[in-house]
Amino acid sequence: MTGRQTTVRRTRRWPFLLLALLSAAAAYLGVAGGASRATADAAASASRLTSAAQYSAAIALDAAIARRTGLLYIFDRSAPAAAALNAQRVMLVWAATLEKQGKVDEAVAVVSGVTDPKLRSSALQERARILLDAARADAARGDFAGAIGRIGQLQALGPTGAIGAQATVLLPQYQVGEAESLSTGGRGLDAVSLLDQASQEGSNAAALATPAYPGALLAAGQEALAANSYREALAMLQRLVQNYPSSAEATQGQSLLDGPEPVTGTLVDSSGHPISGQVRLSSHFYSVPGGYYTTGPFFYTTADAHGTFRFDAMPQGGPYILEIYRDGDWTTYVDPSTGQPATPVTVSPLVPVDLTFVEISG
């Protein structure tokens, strides 16, 4: 018997695998190419939006491009990075537009969002420039408080070169301008505080502040008097008279310092019950053998049913002697240990006298 030999034919599959790989690669390259073209189209759209002043839309589109990473974007890996940088450049353009529209705070806020290291320095300078220009514009309108606020924002940024130097020069000028406005408006205490701040900026600033001080100090003294803050009023007016004696304001200040002051009090008996009746202040007291006597000028008033009395305008000086009209005569009460009046009254500049309770014996 003759045996049969069987031959096995093996099919070659590698051409099919190669074809599949080539097809996949072609498809990938097609998709990647499409993604690259789409990115380019998106970048062009962002540029058109910027030209049309649609800044927020342009920034959003650039931000979306910046997020396009991975193998699909193999043909243009630099596009996402360029888009991220461009978004921040658009922010600078947007800020400049907002500034021109007078929206300073919004412009500053937009520039503050620029954080890319390549733009950080220029963004800082742009913020400083916007704030300095805004301060100048505020001052030109007479809004010195606003100008001072803008300079404060600028200085908070830190060293900003020539712009910072200009701000340092302008700040005391604006402080003096605001102080003069405050003085005119009756807010002298705030005005003096602001001038004191300006004077600390250097000799030039101090010289600039000097002419504004007399008006501010007088207004401060008057303001303190109206609020019954006599100690503060005294300090302001004495500073005015001592430091600026030849000014017209010093003359007014001295009149206030020399002016009469009220004297008030309440008369009670040893049990605390009120005593009413005539009251006077005598100008002089003399001890004599067997007693004393007083002389004028005399100042008169009456204690009411509650024992309360008031002398509206006592000249400065003293000591005055308090006397009560009882049993047909004027009587004062003498301290037996000293032989002098028990309730002397001295009137000082800008110090109202309150005797509170004066106990009358007998």
Side-chain angles (χ1 to χ4, degrees), residues 153-247:
Q153 289 178 273
L154 191 161
Q155 292 180 331
L157 299 177
T160 51
I163 293 176
Q166 292 176 59
T168 299
V169 172
L170 290 173
L171 178 58
Q173 298 178 30
Y174 297 160
Q175 288 173 322
V176 171
E178 176 63 6
E180 291 174 339
S181 297
L182 290 170
S183 297
T184 302
R187 295 175 55 192
L189 294 170
D190 289 337
V192 172
S193 177
L194 202 53
L195 290 174
D196 289 343
Q197 292 178 40
S199 297
Q200 295 173 5
E201 300 294 332
S203 57
N204 291 337
L208 190 66
T210 296
Y213 263 117
L217 288 167
L218 178 60
Q222 293 169 330
E223 180 185 6
L225 281 174
N228 296 326
S229 299
Y230 299 105
R231 182 176 298 178
E232 196 167 24
L234 181 63
M236 292 295 159
L237 294 174
Q238 286 180 336
R239 183 177 172 186
L240 167 62
V241 171
Q242 292 169 5
N243 294 352
Y244 307 96
S246 60
S247 66

Side-chain angles (χ1 to χ4, degrees), residues 74-300:
I74 191 171
F75 289 128
D76 191 2
R77 290 183 178 277
S78 64
L85 183 61
N86 191 62
Q88 303 233 318
R89 288 193 175 115
V90 173
M91 293 174 74
L92 291 174
V93 176
W94 189 9
T97 302
L98 288 169
E99 181 196 8
K100 290 178 182 178
Q101 295 171 348
K103 301 175 180 178
V104 175
D105 291 321
E106 294 178 38
V108 172
V110 169
V111 177
S112 299
V114 178
T115 58
D116 191 286
K118 295 178 182 178
L119 299 176
R120 188 175 298 155
S121 178
S122 58
L124 180 62
Q125 287 298 109
E126 182 67 2
R127 285 172 67 188
R129 182 196 63 75
I130 291 172
L131 289 168
L132 183 64
D133 288 349
R136 284 174 167 153
D138 286 342
R141 294 193 302 269
D143 181 10
F144 294 106
I148 292 169
R150 297 300 184 192
I151 295 295
Q153 289 178 273
L154 191 161
Q155 292 180 331
L157 299 177
T160 51
I163 293 176
Q166 292 176 59
T168 299
V169 172
L170 290 173
L171 178 58
Q173 298 178 30
Y174 297 160
Q175 288 173 322
V176 171
E178 176 63 6
E180 291 174 339
S181 297
L182 290 170
S183 297
T184 302
R187 295 175 55 192
L189 294 170
D190 289 337
V192 172
S193 177
L194 202 53
L195 290 174
D196 289 343
Q197 292 178 40
S199 297
Q200 295 173 5
E201 300 294 332
S203 57
N204 291 337
L208 190 66
T210 296
Y213 263 117
L217 288 167
L218 178 60
Q222 293 169 330
E223 180 185 6
L225 281 174
N228 296 326
S229 299
Y230 299 105
R231 182 176 298 178
E232 196 167 24
L234 181 63
M236 292 295 159
L237 294 174
Q238 286 180 336
R239 183 177 172 186
L240 167 62
V241 171
Q242 292 169 5
N243 294 352
Y244 307 96
S246 60
S247 66
E249 290 84 356
T251 302
Q252 298 178 61
Q254 189 63 60
S255 296
L256 291 173
L257 289 171
D258 293 341
E261 297 296 332
V263 174
T264 58
T266 303
L267 300 180
V268 295
D269 61 21
S270 58
S271 298
H273 299 118
I275 296 176
S276 60
Q278 290 182 285
V279 182
R280 79 177 182 185
L281 288 174
S282 302
S283 298
H284 303 93
F285 175 89
Y286 299 97
S287 295
V288 294
Y292 66 89
Y293 70 95
T294 59
T295 63
F298 297 105
F299 303 88
Y300 296 88

